[in-house]
């Protein structure tokens, strides 16, 4: 009898934890937190192999009522930065994953130097290639808003590594 009582208690606890997890899921806001101007993304390639490549997402806001925090785009998430020359433009910088040389050897100590592969974390949102989700804080609460139909601008091909900031 005591075993049944403990089992039922454990099941009730697990069910309550399951409902708690559901209530803490990120919910997208229906209404835009600010008026957005131009929102676009642009890929870039460095002129040297070690320079890499990536994609920058630019978000222009028309008023400064809130501060945007982060962006989720194409399976990745990064912090947004404000451009120094225009405080109403945010940029999310996504660097492409570089393939590192892998040492294959019959000696275990030689292969020890290999790095583990990068596995992107699962995003809490289902996004198309032309969509992103931004995060922002309002009244001490983190909110999420999806932006769709992001414009793609032509790729930038730099003759050397790209500049650090715009």
């Amino acid at each position: 009898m005591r075993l049944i009582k403990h089992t039922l208690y454990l099941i009730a606890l697990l069910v309550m934890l399951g409902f708690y997890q559901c209530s803490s899921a990120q919910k997208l806001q229906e209404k835009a937190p600010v008026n957005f101007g131009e929102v676009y993304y642009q890929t870039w390639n460095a002129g040297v192999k070690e320079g890499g490549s990536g994609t920058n997402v630019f978000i222009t806001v028309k008023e400064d009522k809130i501060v945007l925090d982060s962006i989720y785009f194409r399976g990745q998430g990064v912090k947004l930065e404000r451009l120094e020359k225009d405080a109403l433009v945010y940029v999310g910088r996504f660097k492409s994953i570089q393939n590192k040389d892998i040492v294959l050897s019959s000696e275990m100590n030689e292969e020890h130097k290999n790095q583990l592969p990068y596995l992107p974390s699962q995003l809490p949102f289902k996004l198309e290639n032309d969509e992103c989700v931004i995060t922002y804080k309002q009244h001490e609460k983190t909110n999420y808003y999806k932006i769709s139909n992001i414009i793609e601008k032509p790729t930038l091909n730099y003759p050397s590594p790209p500049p650090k900031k715009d």
Side-chain angles (χ1 to χ4, degrees), residues 4-134:
I4 294 172
K5 199 177 202 183
H6 286 296
T7 305
L8 289 174
Y9 177 73
L10 181 62
I11 291 172
L13 181 65
L14 290 174
V15 168
M16 286 191 302
L17 284 174
F19 284 124
Y20 176 75
Q21 290 293 339
C22 290
S23 68
S24 67
Q26 293 86 358
K27 294 187 179 20
L28 295 173
Q29 301 296 311
E30 296 290 322
K31 186 176 181 217
V34 292
N35 290 322
F36 291 102
E38 186 177 33
V39 179
Y40 67 93
Y41 68 95
Q42 190 167 36
T43 56
W44 58 268
N45 295 302
V48 294
K49 182 180 177 184
E50 296 80 23
S53 62
T55 302
N56 293 336
V57 180
F58 296 89
I59 301 171
T60 305
V61 294
K62 294 189 176 182
E63 62 249 356
D64 206 7
K65 294 191 314 189
I66 61 165
V67 176
L68 303 183
D69 181 60
S70 303
I71 181 171
Y72 296 98
F73 181 70
R74 294 191 175 171
Q76 297 181 44
V78 296
K79 287 282 192 189
L80 285 167
E81 307 168 17
R82 282 186 167 187
L83 292 184
E84 289 178 16
K85 61 184 178 184
D86 189 351
L88 295 178
V89 177
Y90 291 85
V91 63
R93 301 178 191 281
F94 298 90
K95 188 146 167 104
S96 297
I97 294 21
Q98 298 293 317
N99 291 333
K100 305 265 183 191
D101 289 334
I102 297 175
V103 176
L104 297 176
S105 173
S106 59
E107 296 294 321
M108 188 169 45
N109 291 336
E110 291 296 317
E111 289 187 7
H112 179 68
K113 299 171 188 168
N114 291 335
Q115 291 183 352
L116 293 174
Y118 170 76
L119 298 174
S121 61
Q122 194 71 324
L123 294 182
F125 311 104
K126 173 81 171 114
L127 298 173
E128 300 297 325
N129 275 343
D130 67 341
E131 295 178 328
C132 72
V133 169
I134 57 164

